[in-house]
Amino acid sequence: MEYAAVILSGATQQLQKLFGTETLQHTHNLQDLQQKLAQAVLYLLQKDLNRLLNILYRIDVDERKVKQAMLAPTEEEVADHIAQIIIKRELQKAQTRFIYRSN
């Protein structure tokens, strides 16, 4: 699904704030964002699980989806699935903000 640049940009900015990283700043498409976010998630999985869980709580992702993602066979796949869940949720929120800001 293609998202408008303003919605993708809004989601990316919010994720930068939550993850406290500049690496997400230079993303130009959804695939690039997915890849960079998966790297950030993998780092937190390995180094600071409590911070990752706090971020997931703040983003308000579906706990069942995260538990399902945790069943993946490798940490890289877990990180990739969690990144997908995070992006989907942030895009929903960015879209909602855009709709209500326009009205």
Side-chain angles (χ1 to χ4, degrees), residues 42 45 69 72-83:
L42 180 61
L45 270 172
T74 66
E75 283 185 331
E76 289 79 12
E77 289 179 74
V78 170
D80 191 52
H81 292 310
I82 290 175

Side-chain angles (χ1 to χ4, degrees), residues 13-95:
Q13 288 175 357
Q14 187 63 26
L15 288 170
Q16 280 177 236
K17 290 177 194 173
L18 289 167
F19 280 86
T21 180
E22 295 291 320
T23 59
L24 301 176
Q25 187 174 14
H26 303 290
T27 56
H28 303 290
N29 58 45
L30 196 55
Q31 200 171 35
D32 192 26
L33 177 61
Q34 160 76 30
Q35 190 175 40
K36 290 179 180 180
L37 186 60
Q39 291 172 352
V41 169
L42 180 61
Y43 174 81
L44 290 176
L45 270 172
Q46 295 171 340
K47 305 290 183 189
D48 196 352
L49 184 58
N50 285 333
R51 181 167 175 231
L52 177 61
L53 295 175
N54 185 32
I55 291 170
L56 292 172
Y57 175 77
R58 289 181 65 195
I59 293 172
D60 189 33
V61 296
D62 187 345
E63 187 178 337
R64 291 172 292 172
K65 290 180 182 179
V66 174
K67 285 182 180 178
Q68 185 68 31
M70 292 289 212
L71 298 175
T74 66
E75 283 185 331
E76 289 79 12
E77 289 179 74
V78 170
D80 191 52
H81 292 310
I82 290 175
Q84 289 174 9
I85 293 166
I86 290 170
I87 290 171
K88 184 176 180 181
R89 180 67 180 124
E90 278 304 319
L91 287 172
Q92 289 171 341
K93 289 167 36 177
Q95 191 171 21

